Amino acid sequence: MRSLPVFLFGVFVCLLVGCKQASEPAFVRASHRPGPIDSLASDKEVEAFVRKQDTLLRRFKLRPVSDYEKTELFYDQKEVFGQVRRVKPPLFIRGDFDNNGYTDLVVSGDARYGCTDTLSVCGFESILFLQSAKGTEKRYLSGWFRDLLVVYPVQRNAHNLLDVFAIQSAPTGRGPQTLTHTLLTVQEGYPIEYNPSPEPHQIEKLVFATDPCFGTCPIFTLTVQGDGRAIFRADAYNFSDEPPKATRKVRPQEHPENNYNLYRSIYNEGTYKGTIRKADLEAVFSLLNYLDFIRLRDEYAVGATDLPGATLTITYDGGKVKRIFDYGKTGTYGLQALYKKLEALRYNQKWTPRPPESRKQR
């Protein structure tokens, strides 16, 4: 009988503050596995390792971010240099960031491709090298619109994370830049924003549509149902860099050089149906939930022209809809990772061409 008051007190607390489901199992770090990055101790050893990973990095040199302050390359990055003065970032970082047991590597410096030896400073790269039993893969933390980064290693709930400070453009590509602070983890082989408590949503349908760029960027629409049934419409540049053949006679004003938006009505490399493999479907939907997609902006954009765009339309939880337009396809690290996973589905699944008559009815 003594337990009855305790039980009633527990019920009272639940009613008062709300009862939560049992928490997820504690994060467990993978056992260490020896790899080539373990032995890298000096700057020269790290530079030699990086140069072997890619011909574009054959002249890579570790360089502190402070070296860039007096150059004209990053004249608008004053907030970043302020952060550098507050806490001096390391030239390279080692740690198991994807929790597979192998030691990974983050470097910051100058790749120097496309530059003459007379230039003391050429450009800036921050690169994550992920080690596995299959080898080493590189992921760029910097990019066209994350020019200069300051990266520190941190731990949260036993996770090895990367604390990244960078200048971020305004949400629509217009307006003042701000210094952002982002914690990154690695999921599905890509750096993404750390989410300690992702919310599970029932994904009912996902539509990923890409827009043209000034060049040969793939143009397609991928529609994936919650059960894995999928339609892949390839409009242009999915299988070749050659311009696609027109499905009807094209008038001069409709030529793709004058109006890219007409691709979807005039050009078609094929429409295909298939079923996404269970493991791949679960990986995409799990990543989508980890990104906390319902709290992402409805629009992202970079301040440049001639770049591709993408639109994500997510139907979830009984018909709710979230739509995200991303001009430049660099909205967040997580979105970039999701785009890579979705783009790969065009080639790593079994697709069957849809009959032309079905295509016309669609």
Side-chain angles (χ1 to χ4, degrees), residues 19-32:
C19 292
K20 295 183 178 180
Q21 295 180 348
S23 59
E24 293 295 321
F27 176 76
V28 178
R29 290 223 57 82
S31 300
H32 177 70

Side-chain angles (χ1 to χ4, degrees), residues 291-355:
L291 302 186
D292 199 10
F293 66 89
I294 63 173
R295 293 180 176 84
L296 294 177
R297 298 172 185 163
D298 294 336
E299 181 180 352
Y300 295 88
V302 295
T305 60
D306 304 329
L307 297 175
T311 302
L312 275 173
T313 305
I314 307 145
T315 305
Y316 66 101
D317 292 351
K320 298 177 182 177
V321 176
K322 172 69 174 183
R323 185 173 287 103
I324 301 169
F325 174 68
D326 187 354
Y327 173 69
K329 297 171 66 177
T330 61
T332 68
Y333 284 100
L335 282 174
Q336 291 180 74
L338 181 63
Y339 301 154
K340 293 291 186 183
K341 302 292 285 187
L342 292 172
E343 288 166 354
L345 294 179
R346 295 174 296 161
Y347 308 122
N348 62 18
Q349 305 296 308
K350 184 178 180 180
W351 297 102
T352 303
R354 294 182 69 187

Side-chain angles (χ1 to χ4, degrees), residues 62-76:
L62 290 170
R63 189 181 291 278
V65 176
S66 56
D67 281 5
Y68 296 86
E69 186 167 8
K70 295 181 180 180
T71 71
E72 296 181 357
L73 292 174
F74 305 108
Y75 65 89
D76 59 348

Side-chain angles (χ1 to χ4, degrees), residues 17-256:
V17 300
C19 292
K20 295 183 178 180
Q21 295 180 348
S23 59
E24 293 295 321
F27 176 76
V28 178
R29 290 223 57 82
S31 300
H32 177 70
R33 301 177 181 181
I37 296 175
D38 291 325
S39 61
L40 304 179
S42 68
D43 292 357
K44 288 186 177 181
E45 290 173 341
V46 170
E47 288 175 345
F49 174 85
V50 172
R51 290 167 183 170
K52 291 179 180 178
Q53 305 308 312
D54 193 318
T55 56
L56 291 177
L57 300 174
R58 64 185 182 274
R59 300 171 64 197
F60 180 86
K61 181 178 177 57
L62 290 170
R63 189 181 291 278
V65 176
S66 56
D67 281 5
Y68 296 86
E69 186 167 8
K70 295 181 180 180
T71 71
E72 296 181 357
L73 292 174
F74 305 108
Y75 65 89
D76 59 348
Q77 311 276 306
K78 295 180 181 178
E79 291 87 351
V80 172
F81 295 123
Q83 178 64 24
V84 171
R85 287 190 290 271
R86 286 189 288 271
V87 183
K88 186 177 180 180
L91 288 177
F92 65 89
I93 302 167
R94 294 185 303 175
D96 183 8
F97 300 110
D98 54 1
N99 197 37
N100 67 352
Y102 291 95
T103 302
D104 307 311
L105 175 71
V106 179
V107 298
S108 296
D110 192 343
R112 301 197 62 77
Y113 42 76
C115 293
T116 64
D117 292 334
T118 57
L119 290 174
S120 59
V121 175
C122 179
F124 177 82
E125 301 287 355
S126 185
I127 311 170
L128 167 64
F129 292 96
L130 295 171
Q131 188 65 44
S132 71
K134 297 180 180 179
T136 308
E137 291 189 82
K138 69 177 184 300
R139 302 286 185 254
Y140 285 91
L141 300 178
S142 54
W144 289 351
F145 304 100
R146 293 188 183 91
D147 291 332
L148 203 58
L149 302 178
V150 181
V151 185
Y152 308 95
V154 295
Q155 276 204 345
R156 294 286 189 277
N157 303 321
H159 292 261
N160 286 331
L161 306 177
L162 296 171
D163 200 357
V164 178
F165 290 82
I167 290 293
Q168 182 69 50
S169 299
T172 60
R174 299 180 297 273
Q177 296 179 321
T178 57
L179 180 66
T180 62
H181 159 59
T182 307
L183 284 178
L184 296 182
T185 184
V186 176
Q187 295 280 339
E188 297 294 331
Y190 292 92
I192 65 174
E193 289 78 5
Y194 174 58
N195 184 357
S197 52
E199 298 178 7
H201 297 281
Q202 184 66 38
I203 309 299
E204 298 161 1
K205 183 180 178 182
L206 173 63
V207 180
F208 179 52
T210 64
D211 294 332
C213 69
F214 188 72
T216 58
C217 303
I219 308 169
F220 66 94
T221 300
L222 180 66
T223 302
V224 181
Q225 303 293 337
D227 60 3
R229 290 176 296 119
I231 297 293
F232 164 39
R233 169 162 177 162
D235 292 306
Y237 303 118
N238 289 276
F239 311 113
S240 171
D241 285 342
E242 295 297 320
K245 294 181 180 180
T247 57
R248 62 173 172 80
K249 188 175 181 179
V250 182
R251 295 184 291 273
Q253 65 270 27
E254 294 177 332
H255 194 275

Side-chain angles (χ1 to χ4, degrees), residues 263-281:
Y263 262 135
R264 283 191 167 85
S265 62
I266 302 174
Y267 298 91
N268 192 332
E269 293 178 324
T271 302
Y272 307 84
K273 64 179 180 179
T275 300
I276 307 301
R277 287 189 294 268
K278 183 178 179 181
D280 295 325
L281 184 70

